[in-house]
Amino acid sequence: YWVWQRDERPTEAELAELAAQKVDTIYWHAGELQNAGEAWRWKTRFALPAPAESRLNCVPVVRLVSREAQPFSSASTISLMASLAPLAAKHDELQLDYDAPDRLLRDYGAALKQIHGLVRRLTITALPHWSRPDCRGALESNVDELLPMLYDFEAEPVLKNHAPLPLIAPEKMARMLNDWRGCDKPWRAGLPVFARLTLYDAAGKFRGQIRNWNWDELCFGRSLAL
């Protein structure tokens, strides 16, 4: 499982549920690094539970965000590695989460090769279409495993033209899983295991999602007009 945007250590009930499922490794969101110019700086940080507290192997996951044209220039990569080094020094494995545009895949792959020198095991999340040989070729030799996220890869439609998108569409899922079978490196599919509330305005335009909600808040919330 992935744990996202959370400082609290797992509860006893959660640990019991994970133990029942024979889960011993959790990918824990350690924070977000944002790129401005040729510098990478922490925008958010989250505390990782100590192994003695959680009884789990918590692998830190760092989200990378950049709107720069060249986020992996020589100077930018040096800055990124400097930001990651303290975290990598404390852990045997590191995972990066970055939605690289296709034009930056080779630059991203070159940066991953250098980052791998900081940590014994490096894994990355991946977009579904990175199963294509030209995309995989830029990345897979520089990481130990790829984890394609096979949901939320399409823009939400305007409801007056289309129905809401399901979290999982079986036909699309089967096609994407088949496409990833050509990957030479180990890979695992990232799938949603949560319920969420999606909000649309009166014009049918997507306005965001709420992960933590209950029926009372939905039915009696004063901010919602029924």
Side-chain angles (χ1 to χ4, degrees):
Y1 292 104
W2 282 270
V3 175
W4 215 248
Q5 296 180 347
R6 174 169 169 165
D7 281 314
E8 303 80 18
R9 71 179 184 86
T11 65
E12 287 300 321
E14 290 168 338
L15 289 172
E17 176 65 24
L18 293 170
Q21 297 183 37
K22 295 181 170 52
V23 173
D24 57 13
T25 298
I26 291 287
Y27 294 91
W28 195 282
H29 187 201
E32 181 177 297
L33 277 170
Q34 193 169 51
N35 174 225
E38 291 190 316
W40 288 86
R41 295 186 176 89
W42 289 102
K43 181 181 179 182
T44 55
R45 297 293 298 269
F46 299 97
L48 273 73
E53 291 180 325
S54 66
R55 305 192 293 275
L56 291 165
N57 174 32
C58 290
V59 176
V61 183
V62 179
R63 172 73 174 163
L64 304 181
V65 176
S66 175
R67 294 181 176 83
E68 300 291 337
Q70 298 296 332
F72 302 109
S73 66
S74 178
S76 290
T77 300
I78 291 172
S79 173
L80 177 58
M81 292 177 65
S83 296
L84 291 172
L87 186 63
K90 298 177 181 178
H91 297 272
D92 194 46
E93 181 177 349
L94 179 66
Q95 185 173 104
L96 298 181
D97 176 39
Y98 177 55
D99 300 335
D102 289 2
R103 68 176 181 84
L104 289 177
L105 280 176
R106 294 207 172 274
D107 292 344
Y108 182 38
L112 290 172
K113 184 176 183 179
Q114 297 186 61
I115 293 168
H116 205 325
L118 299 174
V119 65
R120 185 189 67 83
R121 178 174 169 81
L122 179 65
T123 66
I124 61 170
T125 63
L127 297 177
H129 75 276
W130 291 0
S131 60
R132 297 196 321 245
D134 58 317
C135 296
R136 286 191 288 105
L139 303 169
E140 60 185 357
S141 63
N142 302 315
V143 297
D144 297 292
E145 186 177 31
L146 297 97
L147 294 101
M149 300 290 102
L150 303 186
Y151 65 98
D152 283 351
F153 55 89
E154 296 176 279
E156 286 287 339
V158 176
L159 291 192
K160 65 181 180 181
N161 299 323
H162 301 277
L165 293 174
L167 272 173
I168 293 180
E171 303 82 8
K172 293 180 181 178
M173 186 67 62
R175 185 172 64 251
M176 291 186 295
L177 288 170
N178 188 61
D179 290 343
W180 272 95
R181 288 176 181 168
C183 185
D184 294 327
K185 277 288 174 74
W187 63 275
R188 286 179 288 166
L191 305 173
V193 291
F194 51 80
R196 69 184 179 196
L197 176 66
T198 303
L199 302 180
Y200 299 87
D201 63 19
K205 188 176 181 180
F206 170 71
R207 289 302 184 186
Q209 292 154 341
I210 302 174
R211 289 281 180 89
N212 298 316
W213 61 278
N214 60 55
W215 283 109
D216 282 352
E217 290 175 350
L218 177 60
C219 294
F220 304 112
R222 295 181 178 180
S223 60
L224 297 176
L226 302 181

